[in-house]
Amino acid sequence: MEVALVTGEAPDFAATIDAPLVDALRSRGVDVHAPRWDDPTTDWSRFTVAVVRTAWDYTTRRDEFLAWAARAGEVTALWNPSDVLRWNTHKSYLIELEDRGAPVVPTAWLAQGDRASLAELVAARGWRRVVVKPAVASGSDGLLRTDGDHGPASVAQAHLDDLLGTGDVMVQPYLSAVEETGEVSVVLVDGAVTHVVRKRPPAGEFRIQEQFGGLYERLELEGDGADPAALGRWVYEAVGHDLLYARVDLLLDDNRAWQVAEVELTEPDLYLGVAPDVGAVLAEATVARA
């Protein structure tokens, strides 16, 4: 059995963040490969299963990535499937989830080419500090937080204008609880919650990614992680697709209620570094998809 852990321009990530998965697959006699999604020489039909893992460079070539996924899905078992990838790679999926009852972080949606005054938008919404980010992005790419103490700065307006020149944009209130509580991620494999991870930014920072000094810890499902786990499972059901893996990212709002920030179904870090035992769970689920 040959399994592809699909990667992008930085293939070494497959051997780092997914090391527990790679080890678990190999222990089951599986040949593991890490092909780039955009490598024209790859014969995808040779793989029994292809799992999209670290294709983080798709954001600047989304149409090309989705065309690849459609082709690959015709000749191998691609997870998650290409229709899910199409839906999930533009953050407007949050609109659908909100319509289904999910508590999504309030969002103002702007379309490519729009001309919008950020100061007027923020005033109309009654927001103070906000974050501005592209609707097609990975991690903190393109993310900017306004000062807020003196209204949106001119640099934020310029940033918004630049983003609108190339794509759709989201504007959201800045939830300051991230600096204390952090962001909580609920990871699911085959629809079952496997672990919950809290990601805290370092002092003076609001971005929780490791490259900015973010600290990750696993929460007990019966303790602090119980409420997020329940919401994560509910959100999974609201998505309405058969999924190999999912990651639901949650933030506390000013009323200490959990809000859905993202639902990562395309190429999420599953934080196996703090939950290495889940590598075996994901490996077993992957083999079962053959």
Side-chain angles (χ1 to χ4, degrees), residues 5 8 24 26 30 64 71 83 99-100 128 143 159 181 199 213 255 270 285:
L5 302 182
R26 287 176 175 163
V30 175
E64 184 181 345
R71 293 193 304 271
D83 59 335
D99 288 343
R100 297 170 192 172
R128 185 170 165 273
L143 175 68
H159 183 72
T181 311
K199 303 168 290 183
N255 296 315
L270 299 176

Side-chain angles (χ1 to χ4, degrees), residues 3 12 25 28 73 83 109 127 136 166 171 183 188 199 236 245 258 276 284 290:
V3 169
D12 288 347
L25 285 170
R28 289 161 171 75
D83 59 335
W109 297 91
W127 295 338
V136 177
T166 58
V171 181
E183 179 178 276
L188 303 97
K199 303 168 290 183
Y236 177 94
Y245 56 77
W258 289 109
E284 198 64 35

Side-chain angles (χ1 to χ4, degrees), residues 40-215:
T41 67
T42 299
D43 176 10
W44 294 96
S45 67
R46 67 175 288 200
F47 303 115
T48 315
V49 181
V51 182
V52 182
R53 290 303 303 123
T54 55
W56 295 329
D57 56 344
Y58 82 86
T59 57
T60 58
R61 295 180 288 161
R62 179 173 177 253
D63 289 345
E64 184 181 345
F65 174 73
L66 293 176
W68 161 78
R71 293 193 304 271
E74 292 178 352
V75 297
T76 188
L78 179 68
W79 295 97
N80 286 320
S82 61
D83 59 335
V84 172
L85 303 185
R86 178 173 297 279
W87 182 76
N88 187 241
T89 49
H90 190 292
K91 298 187 192 303
S92 58
Y93 68 81
L94 290 169
I95 298 173
E96 292 187 38
L97 289 179
E98 187 172 35
D99 288 343
R100 297 170 192 172
V104 173
V105 175
T107 305
W109 297 91
L110 300 171
Q112 181 177 355
D114 281 351
R115 297 178 64 86
S117 165
L118 187 57
E120 292 177 3
L121 185 156
V122 171
R125 296 280 181 137
W127 295 338
R128 185 170 165 273
R129 286 192 291 180
V130 298
V131 292
V132 180
K133 56 186 177 182
V136 177
S138 178
S140 61
D141 292 346
L143 175 68
L144 181 140
R145 181 185 65 176
T146 63
D147 183 335
D149 293 333
H150 304 93
S154 59
V155 65
Q157 181 65 54
H159 183 72
L160 174 61
D161 294 342
D162 287 345
L163 291 181
L164 286 172
T166 58
D168 302 336
V169 178
M170 312 162 64
V171 181
Q172 298 176 318
Y174 173 66
L175 302 181
S176 59
V178 69
E179 298 174 34
E180 303 170 3
T181 311
E183 179 178 276
V184 170
S185 291
V186 181
V187 178
L188 303 97
V189 175
D190 271 347
V193 175
T194 56
H195 56 296
V196 177
V197 176
R198 185 190 306 280
K199 303 168 290 183
R200 284 193 173 96
E205 180 59 78
F206 70 97
R207 292 167 293 189
I208 49 79
Q209 288 78 16
E210 287 184 309
Q211 64 264 38
F212 301 109
L215 301 175

